[in-house]
């Protein structure tokens, strides 16, 4: 009986499926989504991206897109710009238009934006359209103004270029980062405020990320707490770099390739913390190769030069090191084994001051650089 019952149900299912092939009607939302997709495509959005936007909810319609455009149009956005915003943040289409208007108005009123500044801010971070004012943006603004101590005028400028600060998690990111800087690194509130004003991203780093970089700088580079404070206040982006992809390769190159003593790393980093921001393959290695091969320095000499004058790493190879080396060589004024003081004196000056030091006319050096650059372009 059970076998007969199973066969009966199978036959009934097959009959229903075959019948359904002739009677099936598309789901009500599919036609509307297709219209929305076509509309977005007509505004320059790719078909795949348009379909993704249309499928952000079960019943996305052209009417919803038009309502979205009407609200943003009140603030100067064109329909094409609205489509571009959805390309980067499709979930903005899910925002109720009645909530969208006051959300944007809040940004204008809080930061005293004009329409041009507002459009720039939202274009930089369309996710602002998805975030609730009362539960997200307002508490974040209050925290940045009152706890971190950023002035309202400064915060307005920050938001125009780094609006993602306003959509970062206050509980999981902003507050833990701020408290780590003040409690663990003992930065004063004014120092954190200044650093955050220049580099807002330091507040958006997760606590494990910050701790990982700090641990590397302490254990692998020998930085003391005082060294860390000095280095990070001069170049807080040390915390942004990947330990495995950036910090370790640069450290290994300095120690293993250039044979710089491990205990000298702290001096290099403290004096020139941007050493980890220099591109290893395209910048640091090429620069050191030139000093070794063309100027004739030994690795031991180069290591000693970098320890004595870490800013040597930061001088531009094509705009400073090569032109000045070639210029002095042509004038017979480049020594066979330049000292660190000679390099610093001749590479660390402006063009005008450099020419005064070497006793050559500035016009002659400028002409020399121009001819050398023209020759390099023609090759």
């Amino acid at each position: 009986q059970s076998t007969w019952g199973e066969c009966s149900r199978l036959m009934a299912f097959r009959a229903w499926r075959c019948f359904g092939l002739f009677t099936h009607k598309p789901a009500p939302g599919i036609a509307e989504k297709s219209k929305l997709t076509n509309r977005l495509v007509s505004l320059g959005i790719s078909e795949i991206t348009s379909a993704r936007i249309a499928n952000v909810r079960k019943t996305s319609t052209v009417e919803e897109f038009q309502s979205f455009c009407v609200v943003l149009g009140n603030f100067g956005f064109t329909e094409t710009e609205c489509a571009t915003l959805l390309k980067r943040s499709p979930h903005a289409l899910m925002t109720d238009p009645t909530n969208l208007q006051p959300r944007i108005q809040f940004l204008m009123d809080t930061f005293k934006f004009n329409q041009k500044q507002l459009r720039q801010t939202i274009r930089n971070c369309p996710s602002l359209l998805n975030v609730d004012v009362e539960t997200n943006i307002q508490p974040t603004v209050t925290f940045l103004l009152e706890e971190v101590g950023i002035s309202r005028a400064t915060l307005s400028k920050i938001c125009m270029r780094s609006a993602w600060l306003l959509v970062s998690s206050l509980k999981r990111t902003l507050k833990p980062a701020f408290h780590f800087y003040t409690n663990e690194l003992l930065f004063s509130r004014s120092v954190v405020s200044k650093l955050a004003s220049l580099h807002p991203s330091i507040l958006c780093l997760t606590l494990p990320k910050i701790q990982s970089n700090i641990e590397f700088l302490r254990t692998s580079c020998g930085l003391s707490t005082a060294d860390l404070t000095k280095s990070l206040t001069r170049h807080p982006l040390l915390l942004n770099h990947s330990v495995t992809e950036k910090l370790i390769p640069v450290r290994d190159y300095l120690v293993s390739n250039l044979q710089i003593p491990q205990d000298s790393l702290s001096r290099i980093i403290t004096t020139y913390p941007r050493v980890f921001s220099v591109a290893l393959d395209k910048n640091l290695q090429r620069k050191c190769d030139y000093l070794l091969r063309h100027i004739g320095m030994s690795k031991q000499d180069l290591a000693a030069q970098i320890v004595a004058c870490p800013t040597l790493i930061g001088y531009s190879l094509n705009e400073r090191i090569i032109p000045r080396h070639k210029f002095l060589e042509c004038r017979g004024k480049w020594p066979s084994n330049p000292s660190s003081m000679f390099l610093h004196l001749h590479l660390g000056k402006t063009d005008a001051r450099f020419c005064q030091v070497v006793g050559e006319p500035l016009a002659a050096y400028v002409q020399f650089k121009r001819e050398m650059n023209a020759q390099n372009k023609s090759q």
Side-chain angles (χ1 to χ4, degrees):
Q1 289 182 353
S2 60
T3 304
W4 170 251
E6 291 175 1
C7 291
S8 298
R9 285 194 294 272
L10 180 60
M11 293 172 65
F13 172 74
R14 286 177 176 173
W16 173 83
R17 188 174 65 175
C18 292
F19 180 72
L21 292 174
F22 297 99
T23 60
H24 174 71
K25 295 181 180 180
I30 293 179
E32 291 298 327
K33 289 181 179 181
S34 179
K35 290 180 183 178
L36 177 56
T37 299
N38 293 336
R39 181 65 186 143
L40 293 171
V41 169
S42 71
L43 293 171
I45 309 300
S46 72
E47 189 171 351
I48 293 177
T49 303
S50 297
R52 181 166 58 88
I53 296 170
N55 285 303
V56 75
R57 59 190 299 177
K58 291 183 178 180
T59 56
S60 297
T61 65
V62 174
E63 288 71 23
E64 288 176 339
F65 174 64
Q66 290 174 339
S67 299
F68 178 79
C69 293
V70 167
V71 174
L72 290 176
N74 294 333
F75 299 94
F77 284 92
T78 65
E79 195 173 16
T80 300
E81 288 175 327
C82 291
T84 303
L85 292 178
L86 291 177
K87 176 182 177 181
R88 295 180 56 197
S89 183
H91 286 85
L93 191 60
M94 299 177 66
T95 304
D96 189 329
T98 57
N99 294 329
L100 194 58
Q101 177 86 22
R103 191 169 296 175
I104 299 174
Q105 192 62 51
F106 173 83
L107 295 173
M108 287 198 73
D109 296 342
T110 301
F111 300 114
K112 309 301 180 185
F113 287 154
N114 56 39
Q115 283 199 358
K116 181 179 179 181
Q117 293 169 331
L118 176 72
R119 290 198 302 274
Q120 177 185 336
T121 302
I122 294 177
R123 279 197 299 265
N124 289 340
C125 184
S127 298
L128 282 169
L129 301 175
N130 309 339
V131 182
D132 184 71
V133 170
E134 293 184 0
T135 59
N136 295 96
I137 300 179
Q138 179 65 69
T140 298
V141 170
T142 301
F143 167 74
L144 294 171
L145 292 174
E146 297 181 3
E147 284 198 54
V148 180
I150 300 174
S151 70
R152 190 175 294 273
T154 301
L155 186 57
S156 298
K157 295 177 181 178
I158 292 173
C159 290
M160 277 192 288
R161 68 177 192 273
S162 307
W164 36 261
L165 186 65
L166 297 178
V167 299
S168 298
S169 172
L170 185 60
K171 182 178 180 180
R172 295 192 304 272
T173 306
L174 301 180
K175 282 189 174 182
F178 175 72
H179 292 149
F180 183 87
Y181 298 139
T182 54
N183 298 334
E184 298 296 327
L185 297 181
L186 303 180
F187 287 177
S188 67
R189 178 171 173 263
S190 60
V191 167
V192 178
S193 174
K194 180 180 179 180
L195 295 179
S197 299
L198 297 172
H199 304 283
S201 61
I202 67 166
L203 289 178
C204 301
L205 299 172
T206 63
L207 194 54
K209 167 63 178 170
I210 298 172
Q211 291 171 330
S212 174
N213 285 41
I214 293 293
E215 182 65 18
F216 173 84
L217 293 170
R218 276 179 172 155
T219 59
S220 299
C221 300
L223 268 67
S224 64
T225 300
D227 291 336
L228 279 169
T229 301
K230 185 177 180 180
S231 301
L232 292 175
T233 50
R234 295 181 64 186
H235 189 58
L237 294 182
L238 274 173
L239 297 175
N240 293 56
H241 296 313
S242 165
V243 171
T244 55
E245 296 179 8
K246 191 73 174 179
L247 301 187
I248 291 178
V250 172
R251 189 276 314 270
D252 288 350
Y253 179 76
L254 294 174
V255 174
S256 301
N257 290 59
L258 298 184
Q259 301 172 1
I260 290 175
Q262 179 79 24
D263 56 7
S264 297
L265 284 178
S266 60
R267 168 177 165 73
I268 293 173
I269 298 169
T270 306
T271 306
Y272 188 69
R274 292 178 181 272
V275 60
F276 287 113
S277 297
V278 177
L280 181 57
D281 296 335
K282 297 181 179 179
N283 193 320
L284 183 57
Q285 285 184 345
R286 289 185 61 241
K287 200 174 296 179
C288 291
D289 286 345
Y290 184 87
L291 292 170
L292 291 170
R293 295 178 183 179
H294 297 276
I295 294 182
M297 299 174 68
S298 67
K299 279 190 177 182
Q300 185 178 1
D301 289 338
L302 179 57
Q305 299 274 18
I306 292 175
V307 172
C309 181
T311 52
L312 179 65
I313 297 171
Y315 299 143
S316 170
L317 178 62
N318 295 324
E319 296 299 322
R320 183 162 297 194
I321 296 176
I322 295 177
R324 294 190 183 182
H325 169 228
K326 296 293 185 183
F327 181 73
L328 290 180
E329 202 172 46
C330 289
R331 297 297 194 273
K333 295 183 178 181
W334 187 272
S336 57
N337 188 22
S339 65
S340 60
M341 181 57 70
F342 181 90
L343 287 175
H344 179 66
L345 187 65
H346 292 79
L347 297 179
K349 308 294 183 183
T350 63
D351 285 351
R353 183 72 183 117
F354 162 72
C355 289
Q356 287 180 352
V357 170
V358 299
E360 296 287 344
L362 175 61
Y365 177 62
V366 171
Q367 180 63 24
F368 178 87
K369 281 182 67 176
R370 187 181 296 116
E371 292 174 356
M372 191 181 73
N373 290 334
Q375 184 178 4
N376 291 336
K377 289 180 181 179
S378 64
Q379 290 179 351

